[in-house]
Amino acid sequence: MPESKTARELSAREVKRRRILRAAIEVFARDGYYSARMTDVAKEAEVADGTLYLYFDGKEHLLLSVFDDVLSRFIDQLKTEVEKLEDPFAKLKIMIRLHLETLGRDRALAHVLQIETRHSRRFMGLLARGKLGEYLSLLKEIVEEGQELGRFRRDINAGLATNMIFGAVDELVNRWLLVDPSEDLVRHQTPLLKMLCQGIVPCEFHEGAAE
Amino acid sequence: MPESKTARELSAREVKRRRILRAAIEVFARDGYYSARMTDVAKEAEVADGTLYLYFDGKEHLLLSVFDDVLSRFIDQLKTEVEKLEDPFAKLKIMIRLHLETLGRDRALAHVLQIETRHSRRFMGLLARGKLGEYLSLLKEIVEEGQELGRFRRDINAGLATNMIFGAVDELVNRWLLVDPSEDLVRHQTPLLKMLCQGIVPCEFHEGAAE
Amino acid sequence: MPESKTARELSAREVKRRRILRAAIEVFARDGYYSARMTDVAKEAEVADGTLYLYFDGKEHLLLSVFDDVLSRFIDQLKTEVEKLEDPFAKLKIMIRLHLETLGRDRALAHVLQIETRHSRRFMGLLARGKLGEYLSLLKEIVEEGQELGRFRRDINAGLATNMIFGAVDELVNRWLLVDPSEDLVRHQTPLLKMLCQGIVPCEFHEGAAE
Amino acid sequence: MPESKTARELSAREVKRRRILRAAIEVFARDGYYSARMTDVAKEAEVADGTLYLYFDGKEHLLLSVFDDVLSRFIDQLKTEVEKLEDPFAKLKIMIRLHLETLGRDRALAHVLQIETRHSRRFMGLLARGKLGEYLSLLKEIVEEGQELGRFRRDINAGLATNMIFGAVDELVNRWLLVDPSEDLVRHQTPLLKMLCQGIVPCEFHEGAAE
DNA sequence: GATGAATGAGCGTTCATTCAT
DNA sequence: CATGAATGAACGCTCATTCAT
């Protein structure tokens, strides 16, 4: 019976699924996850309320699916791009650029990923152990590879470095969303990368600052 | 009328206010802001439900007050400590240490500040324009002062540096809360500071990485 | 058009109808009428959801049909057996025996008939005016016949006697379902019949008890 | 704190509780348990929707409470009356009379007890193990006492006799509700009692019928 | 006839907030 | 000031039924 479904049928289902996810992004971004009503998501997706539940297990699962779906595609893209490169520094550069580009071109999505998905410990725990963890692993691998090649400092903890890089980028997106909504997010890419690589203290003072 | 209150009366009021705030921290941390019920906060504070509204304007104001109250005291402490110091680098160091210490000694509080207060754009906007903004300004001033003195790189954007520093510390606290709950938060202080100052790339490669 | 159907076609339809009815009995018994979902009945009957509506007008009609179908066959059987007998007492005996046997061999069915079909006045009214009324009439006829022949007391109201007999048997089935699920239902047949016939008071006290 | 409640306060609470229970009886009787909406019960009781939940745990608990409350009072009354009497036959008589009188004077209540509370196995199980079980025990004790005194047949099973008596009375109430709504329920008391005591077969035929 | 994806009306329950005491 | 009983708006989810294929 499932075999009788043609590719076109499956695709029709997927199309509707995407429409619902997109609607969820818009509505969650507009009203906030808690204030958003499922009926409004349905309206935005132009389906009946009940239809949402044919595609997702409930409101929370819908939010989780937005996150996973987007991050899955993002990670796939990232891997493709990263594989083309040799230099860990270049890899790091492309990761930051794609991160900023992806969110910078879709405010609603950025809003949902940065804010609405972080509303509870339980939910953040789910994310951390899911696709987000995968993203961070990818980042960490690049750092470690760079350390092995001697391109990145060997005396730093790779996990901590990953943490700093992600924290800096993440916070940048937050500022963009909350404080400078009109600015161009990607323009910070180069200066941020440079700062992450070189630190904020000139080399001649590294000794003193190392203390 | 308020003037007729004696110091002891005011203090009694303040004591109860603090008790409610502490109760809110515990309950919000335990149940999450949205799941937490005002009646449970009242129970924890050992006051009647209605009494909460004699001290705070509502649930959201209570959360906001937790944030502001804690941050106010934190900022005061910070200013006192920072004023004692001359070296911008030392100032930065003390800021990070106090940040990690303050949250590291109080998980419930950390949880509320890191997670529960970030549930919506509107709320985060409020925070950013409030005490959090003050904290970030303080941080930025230190960076700028360091730049003027030549202790920090002059070719970086102070705002962006502030962003990076805060993002790294903030993310570190997040990881501690969500992933390594048993670890000691403060032990990352020195390595993180070093990494922020020196970057992740050895000085000899700075040219290449600066690109 | 219906005439053009061959016997085999009708039979195929009837087979599916029966399969759905049986599925309904199982699912209603397992989950209760209100909690039962039509989709589960369909699944149990191995037909599509929509197919149910080609055979029955809806959920309530399905329940009603279970009742009517089973009772129709039961009444037919009863009439056949009763017709063979002359003695009203023997007729009463066979009725009680068949009643207990039929339900005693099919818990799911018993459950649906005893409990699920009695959930509302409207529904019970429908039943009382339908096949159940027919069953009670049959019972009443036997009582009246017995009275005419002098085998049953003439000074009792036939309707009331019918009521007592049915009530006693019905309640016996209920106890079996709810309290003694493991017991053998039919073994009560003889003692119950005897009690219905002779009462609970010894003949010598009938005068005093008649009062 | 609870001690500070005066008798008048407790009574005020109890008064409201009763008002809600009465409203539930009316609404459940009118619309049926499943169709009845809590908001209508609230409206009938002239309280806010939420108030219902300050007195009862939910819709099902409300129904259960109707049953338990009424039956508790009924059983208390029954015990009082029964204690005054010596003769088991007289005790049986008063039980049947009170049963028919209590329900006969309150159709809505009768409807809820007879029909709406019997909507599911789970619910009937709850009832059987609760107050209803207590009522049946009381009845059984009377039968057993009568057997010991030789007033009731010693060769019958007391449980089965209890079953017959209750079944007959219960079914009588059902008929009254569903078929003869205008009739007087209590007028059947004496003939029913007589029939239960003497059976439907004249004494001279008892031998043959006993078979 | 058979299918099963889509529909959308319907409701029990929660809980922040109020206000009479 | 403090209390806590009462309020009532708000909404996620279910599932019987329909109908295009």
Side-chain angles (χ1 to χ4, degrees), chain A residues 52-210:
Chain A
L52 299 181
Y53 295 87
L54 297 175
Y55 290 83
F56 302 95
D57 288 340
K59 194 180 183 184
E60 181 156 284
H61 182 235
L62 186 50
L63 180 60
L64 209 56
S65 299
V66 166
F67 195 91
D68 273 6
D69 238 58
V70 169
L71 221 54
S72 285
R73 268 197 288 272
F74 177 62
I75 288 172
D76 287 348
Q77 188 192 359
L78 218 51
K79 282 181 175 164
T80 308
E81 295 293 334
V82 161
E83 275 171 6
K84 295 179 191 163
L85 302 170
E86 290 288 329
D87 182 29
F89 172 77
K91 289 180 179 180
L92 183 57
K93 190 178 167 183
I94 194 82
M95 280 195 79
I96 292 176
R97 206 191 71 214
L98 285 175
H99 190 147
L100 296 176
E101 270 180 12
T102 302
L103 297 182
R105 88 167 66 95
D106 190 343
R107 279 195 87 77
L109 176 62
H111 177 188
V112 173
L113 296 191
Q114 295 294 121
I115 299 173
E116 303 306 330
T117 57
R118 308 188 179 189
H119 57 123
S120 73
R121 178 168 42 189
R122 194 178 53 77
F123 206 85
M124 286 188 73
L126 283 177
L127 300 185
R129 281 185 295 280
K131 290 287 167 189
L132 185 57
E134 206 176 315
Y135 176 62
L136 292 172
S137 296
L138 201 57
L139 190 51
K140 193 176 173 195
E141 280 168 28
I142 292 172
V143 173
E144 286 168 338
E145 187 191 351
Q147 289 184 305
E148 280 160 30
L149 297 175
R151 295 278 297 169
F152 294 158
R153 294 180 186 279
R154 286 193 164 107
D155 60 344
I156 61 177
N157 178 290
L160 197 62
T162 303
N163 177 97
M164 177 182 74
I165 298 166
F166 179 77
V169 176
D170 192 68
E171 182 63 17
L172 188 59
V173 180
N174 267 335
R175 289 297 118 191
W176 171 67
L177 277 171
L178 298 168
V179 186
D180 319 299
S182 57
E183 256 204 281
D184 173 31
L185 188 54
V186 184
R187 77 183 187 82
H188 296 297
Q189 178 212 338
T190 306
L192 179 61
L193 179 64
K194 192 182 166 197
M195 214 187 312
L196 287 166
C197 290
Q198 305 187 356
I200 61 173
V201 169
C203 291
E204 63 263 35
F205 292 124
H206 278 190
E207 289 290 300

Side-chain angles (χ1 to χ4, degrees), chain B residues 5 16 48 50-51 55:
Chain B
K5 285 180 190 306
K16 192 171 276 190
T51 302
Y55 290 82

Side-chain angles (χ1 to χ4, degrees), chain C residues 117-171:
Chain C
T117 55
R118 308 188 179 190
H119 55 184
S120 72
R121 179 168 43 187
R122 195 177 54 74
F123 206 84
M124 286 188 73
L126 283 177
L127 300 185
R129 282 184 295 280
K131 289 287 168 188
L132 184 57
E134 207 176 313
Y135 175 61
L136 291 172
S137 296
L138 201 58
L139 189 52
K140 194 176 172 194
E141 280 168 27
I142 292 173
V143 172
E144 287 170 337
E145 187 190 351
Q147 289 184 306
E148 279 161 26
L149 296 176
R151 295 278 295 169
F152 294 157
R153 294 180 188 279
R154 287 195 165 105
D155 61 343
I156 61 179
N157 178 291
L160 196 62
T162 303
N163 178 97
M164 177 182 75
I165 297 165
F166 179 77
V169 175
D170 191 67
E171 182 63 17

Side-chain angles (χ1 to χ4, degrees), chain C residues 77 98 100-110 176 185-186:
Chain C
Q77 188 191 359
L98 285 175
L100 295 177
E101 269 179 11
T102 303
L103 297 183
R105 88 165 67 94
D106 191 344
R107 277 194 90 76
L109 177 62
W176 171 66
L185 189 53
V186 184

Side-chain angles (χ1 to χ4, degrees), chain A residues 1 16 47-48 50-51 54-55:
Chain A
M1 209 62 123
K16 191 169 278 190
V47 298
T51 303
L54 297 175
Y55 290 83

Side-chain angles (χ1 to χ4, degrees), chain D residues 39-74:
Chain D
T39 196
D40 286 334
V41 175
K43 224 163 274 161
E44 178 78 25
E46 295 180 288
V47 297
D49 290 20
T51 303
L52 299 181
Y53 295 86
L54 296 176
Y55 290 82
F56 302 95
D57 288 340
K59 194 181 182 185
E60 182 157 284
H61 181 235
L62 186 49
L63 181 59
L64 208 57
S65 298
V66 167
F67 196 89
D68 273 6
D69 237 58
V70 169
L71 222 54
S72 283
R73 269 198 287 272
F74 178 61

